[in-house]
Amino acid sequence: MAGNRDAHLPYLASSVNNHAIALAGAGRRAEALPASEEAVSLYRELVEGGRDAYLPDLAMSVNNYAVRLAEAGRRVEALAASEEAVALRRELVEGNRDAYVPDLAGSLWGTGCVCVALDESSVEAIAAAREGLGLYAVLAATEPDAFTDRLHSAAETLADLYEIAGDPEAAAAVRAEYGPPPAS
């Protein structure tokens, strides 16, 4: 990479991000966290030179970093990264709604997942999870094969958030409205 950093930096960022995901998948979460942080740093550098080209990658990388932080129990940082991923994806949706609404739904759902993993709930987390669920409902109505499983997972996350918040009636209402996930 020393000979042409600019040409190879996108490949390095992608490789480091994929490595972080693979480490986490292999249960090596302690190693995954710094790799994920490095990927975010590399994508931030790329965004400085080409925002439109690399913003989707930065958003994805920040979203993954939020998950790694939650796995490490770093609550404040995980929520901040999750909120940043949502903000980045909202920016992307403004430019191309059809292309990025699924990613925004995933980041909103991810905010809820981070809170469930940390066993805490908040008005903001519930609002994010509800918004993500609403987007998945729209997406599943038009593309059921692609989004029905995510819709049900997002509904379960929202129900879990309600339970953590001490509102079992709201949790039951969400589960009643969306039913159990379809059998695989």
Side-chain angles (χ1 to χ4, degrees), residues 8-10 17 45-46 53-54 62 75-76 91-92 99 102 105 119-120 152:
H8 299 289
L9 190 58
N17 189 68
E45 183 178 339
L46 286 163
Y54 295 107
V62 170
R75 175 190 162 281
V76 172
E91 181 179 338
L92 289 164
D119 197 33
E120 62 181 58
H152 288 287

Side-chain angles (χ1 to χ4, degrees), residues 75-166:
R75 175 190 162 281
V76 172
E77 294 165 283
L79 289 173
S82 183
E83 290 168 357
E84 181 185 0
V86 168
L88 293 170
R89 288 190 161 154
R90 285 191 195 285
E91 181 179 338
L92 289 164
V93 165
E94 287 177 17
N96 187 342
R97 182 171 178 77
D98 292 340
Y100 294 109
V101 162
D103 293 335
L104 175 58
S107 286
L108 289 161
W109 170 34
T111 298
C113 291
V114 165
C115 290
V116 169
L118 299 171
D119 197 33
E120 62 181 58
S121 185
S122 66
V123 172
E124 295 83 7
I126 289 172
R130 287 191 67 78
E131 183 182 355
L133 178 61
L135 291 173
Y136 276 136
V138 171
L139 291 164
T142 57
E143 296 180 64
D145 290 343
F147 294 105
T148 298
D149 287 346
R150 292 183 210 176
L151 172 68
H152 288 287
S153 294
E156 190 59 31
T157 297
L158 178 59
D160 289 346
L161 286 169
Y162 279 128
E163 286 181 354
I164 292 166

Side-chain angles (χ1 to χ4, degrees), residues 5-96:
R5 188 177 196 314
D6 292 344
H8 299 289
L9 190 58
Y11 302 109
L12 176 62
S14 177
S15 293
V16 171
N17 189 68
N18 290 339
H19 184 59
I21 292 168
L23 286 168
R28 295 167 56 185
R29 291 185 173 100
E31 296 169 75
L33 181 59
S36 183
E37 185 174 25
E38 180 184 359
V40 169
S41 178
L42 293 169
Y43 279 124
R44 285 190 198 289
E45 183 178 339
L46 286 163
V47 164
E48 286 178 16
R51 186 167 186 81
D52 291 343
Y54 295 107
L55 191 61
D57 296 317
L58 176 60
M60 174 263 315
S61 187
V62 170
N63 195 75
N64 292 339
Y65 184 50
V67 173
R68 303 289 84 80
L69 287 164
E71 290 170 347
R74 291 168 59 180
R75 175 190 162 281
V76 172
E77 294 165 283
L79 289 173
S82 183
E83 290 168 357
E84 181 185 0
V86 168
L88 293 170
R89 288 190 161 154
R90 285 191 195 285
E91 181 179 338
L92 289 164
V93 165
E94 287 177 17
N96 187 342

